[in-house]
Amino acid sequence: MSKIPDQEDEQFIANLKVELNRMDSAFDEPTPSLADFNELAVHTLANQKRRWRKEFFIFLLVALFIVSAIFVAAWWDPVVLLLIHGSSMLIGAVILMVSLTSRGSRDFHE
């Protein structure tokens, strides 16, 4: 009795291998060559460099806009400039104190 299921399993596996080989031959896709991979790498690096330059240019434009807005505010009314600097220093001090107190309380509880 044990030989019949074993033979059926072996026949099933053999048929499955034949069918899989037939499917592999039907959908034969060659692997890309090394030159294709190098071309893809060069293209990817060029895209990264182009994207980096674009992001850097946008950063410079935004920084220029912010600095020019502050200069215009200083030209228009020096009190506005003092308010901007004073409030930014105050906000920075508050953020620093909050971060130091939260870090200190975390270290204390550990």
Side-chain angles (χ1 to χ4, degrees):
M1 275 183 131
S2 64
K3 288 191 174 221
I4 294 173
D6 288 338
Q7 289 175 352
E8 289 177 4
D9 289 343
E10 289 176 9
Q11 183 65 29
F12 176 74
I13 291 173
N15 289 338
L16 187 62
K17 285 182 181 179
V18 168
E19 290 297 320
L20 287 175
N21 287 335
R22 187 180 64 81
M23 286 177 53
D24 286 342
S25 66
F27 299 108
D28 189 26
E29 293 185 21
T31 58
S33 66
L34 184 60
D36 291 337
F37 280 125
N38 285 335
E39 183 180 333
L40 180 63
V42 167
H43 179 70
T44 302
L45 288 174
N47 282 343
Q48 278 183 335
K49 186 180 265 188
R50 190 171 27 255
R51 187 172 49 239
W52 183 83
R53 284 182 183 163
K54 180 182 173 186
E55 289 174 359
F56 184 66
F57 182 69
I58 290 172
F59 169 77
L60 286 178
L61 285 177
V62 169
L64 181 67
F65 176 75
I66 291 171
V67 169
S68 64
I70 290 173
F71 282 148
V72 167
W75 183 289
W76 185 47
D77 193 8
V79 175
V80 173
L81 181 67
L82 292 175
L83 286 174
I84 291 171
H85 282 291
S87 62
S88 63
M89 290 177 70
L90 183 63
I91 290 171
V94 168
I95 290 173
L96 180 64
M97 290 301 294
V98 167
S99 69
L100 287 177
T101 55
S102 66
R103 186 184 324 165
S105 64
R106 262 186 296 156
D107 293 340
F108 182 72
H109 291 295
E110 289 178 1

